[in-house]
Structures are given as C-alpha cells and as structure tokens.
Amino acid sequence: MEKFRALGLSEDILKGIEELGFETPTPIQERVIPVVLSGCEDLVALAQTGTGKTAAFGLPLLQSLDLDSKSIQALILSPTRELCVQICNDLIKYSKYLPQVKCTAVYGGTDIRKQINTIEKGVHILVATPGRLCDLIRREAVNINQVRWVVLDEADEMLNMGFQEDLNFILEETPKERNTFLFSATMPVEVERIAKNYLKNPQEITTGKRNQGADTVSHIYYQVMAKDCYETLRRVIDCEPDMYAIIFTRTKNDARDIVKKLQKDGVDCDALHGDLSQAQRDDVMSRFRAKLLKVLVATDVAARGLDVDNLTHVINYNLPEDIESYTHRSGRTGRAGKEGISVSIINARESGKIRRLEKMLRRPFTFCKVPSGEDVGRAQLHYYADKVVTVEPKEDVDKYVGELFAKFQEMDKEMLIRKVFAYEFGKLLKKYRNAKDLNIMDAPKPKGEQNDRSTYKVFSINVGRNDGFSPRSLMEIINYCAPRRGMDIGGIRVGNDETKFEIDVDGVKNFPRFFNGIQFEDTLIKVKELDEEPVSTPKVKKERWSKERRDRGEGKSERKRGDKRSKRNNTAQNKYRRANAEGAKRNSKGGKRGK
C-alpha cells in the first residue's frame, strides 16, 4: 500500500481499499489521483475499460469532500444503469471507514419518488444517468448549482447513445468554477468538442495510445463462409470448456437466434437486447455475473456500460462498423491486468476490415484455423481429466467407496477410464465424428512474400464466345465472387462453349464453391478444377504511379482507364448480384437453371 500512500491518500481510505485487495495503483490511478487531489486542473483521461478508472477519480473525490455540508458536491455521469449502480457501489466500498459519506445513484427504470426522497435527506456524491438527471432537474427535485466536481465517465459511450443535448443541459446547470474530469476509452470528434466547450485548459492523461487496444488482449480471427459462422462459433465455445464470454451481434434478431441455437445445443446462455424490460435485463445480468450463464449474447447498444469482471473472451459474431465499437467490445476482457482474447468470426469478404482494425489499433490479429471435430473432442476430454485429477474427495464419499469398488472390481484401470469418458462424452464425440472442414483458406502469407508458381491452378467455366463471354466478363465474376481481393490471374483462353483460366489459389480451399448460384446472362455457371499444368506466366501487378510522376503529368490516360475500370467493376457487382437473386427465384419456381 506504500505506493497508494505516496499518492497522498488518507489512512481511512487506504484501510478501506486494502481490505478490497488493492496493492499497487494501476497506471491511470497513479497519474490521475494526484491531479484530482490538487483540485486546480480539469482533466481528460484516456484509458481502456477495466483499468481502474472508478478508483482513479473516486478515491481522491472521497477524500476531498466537505462532510459537514449536505449539498451535492460531486456529480458523476455514466451512460447506463448498470455502470451507474456499479460506480455507486464501488464508492460505498471505498468509503467503508468514512461512514459520514452519502452516495446515491439515480437512473431510469425505477421509482423516481424514492430517488427524490433519498436526495432530500442529503447526498455528497450523486451518480446519475443523463436522462434521469435531466428529469430530476426539470422537476426541481435536485440542485446541482453547488457541485465542485463533475465526472463524465465513458464519455464516448454517452455520446454514442445520443446524450449530447442532455450533457449540454446538465453542464449548463453546474457552476462555471467547477472542476471537470472527462474519462473515455476513445477520443472521437464529439468527445473532443465536449472537452473544448466545457473544460478549462485540461490536462490530458493517456495510458497507451489513442484509440489503441489494451496490451492484455490478444486478437484472433477465423475466416469462413457466411453460412458456417454459427457452426464455427459452436466449435470455438466447445473448445473452451471454461469460457466466460460475451458474444456481440449486430442486431437483436441475431442475438435471439444465436441464443435459441446455443440453448438447443446445451450451452448455458441468454440474450441482452433492447426489447428486454429493466426487470428482465436485471435478471439476465445477475445470472451472468453469478456465472450461471457461460456466455451472454448482446448487441452493442444493450451491452454499453456493462461492467463484468474476469471475462475470458469477447466474441465478435459480427464485426462492428467503427473502430470505437470494436475497442469497447475487446476492452471488456483482459481487465485488471488479466489476459483476455478477442475473437472475430468473419466471412470471405471481410478480411479488409481486419487489416483496417490492425492498422488503427496498432495490434496484430492472428489468423486461426477453425477447430476440427478432433480438436473439440481432445479439448473436452483434457478439461474433464484435469478436473478429475485435481478434485479433492469429500468425506461423504468414503462410505460409498466399498460399494463402488465392488461394482468395478472386474475392470482394469484402462477399461474403467474408457467407459467413464465414453459415458460422459460419447454424445459429443459422435456429433463431431464426421465434422467437415470449415476453413476457406490457410494462414495468409506475410506481407511482401511472393507467391510461388506452384500455387497456380487451372480451372474451366462453362461459358464461352457463343454466350457473349469474354476475359473481362471473367475478371468481373472473379472480382465479385473470390474469397479475397487481389488474387493473381494467369492465362485466360476463351473457347466457343468453355473458358479456361489460371489463378493463384494459395491458401484458398475448394475454389469452385465460391461461384455456386452465380449466373452469367441466363446460364448458371459452373467452375471446376482441371488436371492440367499452368502454361502461361502470371500477370505482374503494375507499379503504382509515384507522386513525382503524377506531378509531371505522367500516367493520366492510364489513371482514366483505371477509373473507368473501377466503375465497370461496380456495375458488374450489381449485375451479378441481381443475376444471383433472380436466378435463385427462378430456380425455386422450377425455372431455367442454365446449361
């Protein structure tokens, strides 16, 4: 506790946090506590969730209160009910040896009259959600004109949830000579605007880099066909028997569907989404925090502000649209110095999103092969075996041991072990016995590594000149259907009724399947691999025009042709997408399926 004492905290507070297991301050606590205690500066603090932000501002605020006054001296705003309650409970625990301190939380979904009665009795620290606090101010049930400190916790989340006007209204009601402390995991433009408008020459404290993920979180991804995403999720869960995770989906319908499937498969889980009442939400969260649920399936909106300790995994069933959302998702694991894993399950067309996330987070994402049926079985068996080896027999068991020995006396050790594991895992092993390979590609090659000539394969497509098919048609179809961008194409030989082409399929499994259901004109195309050696030289990618050449005016005609080609490709994608949809409709009605 000496490091906490060196920060200037009082003995009463040190005694309280020592009983909670505090030993050394986290980086954000070490840097924020002295600033808040000084009482002379506004503050912008950027740090990931789970880094101890509540103690960073809460401990010095508790020490700075005037306990003889009954007015609200500190106002803490948080985006959600769950986080609001969590902050208030933490402050009550920190102030165990400061019994005079009064702290209460106000939020929507509960009786406002009870909250008003509590405030009227006198409160030193008010923790509130913006919406409920605005209601209380308009009813003149709360007075914040003597507030000395305002804390905006998870400021980026509050703005994402549409609280901009509420925050403006609340801050206008507070004294101009207050100190304002803004805490955020990311620093989007809207948060910078709040800081500029309402903070006076704030000191900025950043642990890590702006918009960068936590060092304790590993990022991995699986790349599969869209139709195989659920099966991949199921295998990932089965491979981690002690998983305690949140699965993020894009919509509430996705959350409901996944929960139904997982529950049918025997996984203890439930959903958290916007259609739940507050009572239902509280019930789900209480069961999840008690670890009665192995996984929680949630949308971004529903999960905002959740504070759950010891998550082993965060699983992105759908990647979010923006970097801030991914940062908040992944920041829910790997907290308090513990290791965590952020898993993303992406389809064949989302590898570009992974590259962009890597660049913005400054963190590498590791490609992983989808666990096979054998991997799942081995993981489950080893987990069960470890539990059996480490369990301590209870005395109550001793009186039955003689009967058990009599039951198994004719079995040797090997047969007994086989029977026990067959009984426990026979159903699961049977399920995965003939599990198919879901991987669509091997691990991508390191950047800059050249493709080997041996990875080129020859394929045929069942359309040619007689169908109006041309090399450009082939390029358009490949650009639309291929599992990744930039696949190198070798020779193209267009015949009357068939076209042969060579393409580098390095890392791609079963290349023809990506063209299932695609039509050219009225023909359902079929691609198949030929047992032929490639004979032509792969096309070389053209060197990009340098800035110097552009300044000299070189390459204008080539760039114009490139712009036209880009427009043609966009048109082609729409054409083949329409053809696919129309073809599926005709096929379902027994219409023409093609040659």
Side-chain angles (χ1 to χ4, degrees), residues 559-569:
R559 289 199 299 278
K560 286 180 180 178
R561 286 198 295 271
D563 293 340
K564 291 179 181 178
R565 188 180 303 115
S566 177
K567 291 179 180 178
R568 285 200 304 269
N569 285 343

Side-chain angles (χ1 to χ4, degrees), residues 264-317:
K264 187 177 179 180
D265 286 338
V267 178
D268 294 325
C269 65
D270 211 332
L272 197 68
H273 52 73
D275 286 350
L276 298 182
S277 67
Q278 191 62 55
Q280 290 172 319
R281 183 183 174 95
D282 291 344
D283 176 64
V284 171
M285 286 308 303
S286 64
R287 287 187 289 127
F288 186 56
R289 286 197 173 97
K291 295 192 175 182
L292 300 177
L293 303 177
K294 179 184 178 76
V295 296
L296 178 70
V297 187
T299 59
D300 283 303
V301 173
R304 282 172 178 160
L306 288 187
D307 187 19
V308 182
D309 294 328
N310 302 318
L311 289 180
T312 60
H313 294 72
V314 164
I315 301 177
N316 300 285
Y317 189 79

Side-chain angles (χ1 to χ4, degrees), residues 310-330:
N310 302 318
L311 289 180
T312 60
H313 294 72
V314 164
I315 301 177
N316 300 285
Y317 189 79
N318 306 117
L319 282 176
E321 296 299 325
D322 55 85
I323 182 68
E324 287 83 6
S325 294
Y326 183 88
T327 301
H328 276 283
R329 287 183 180 186
S330 61

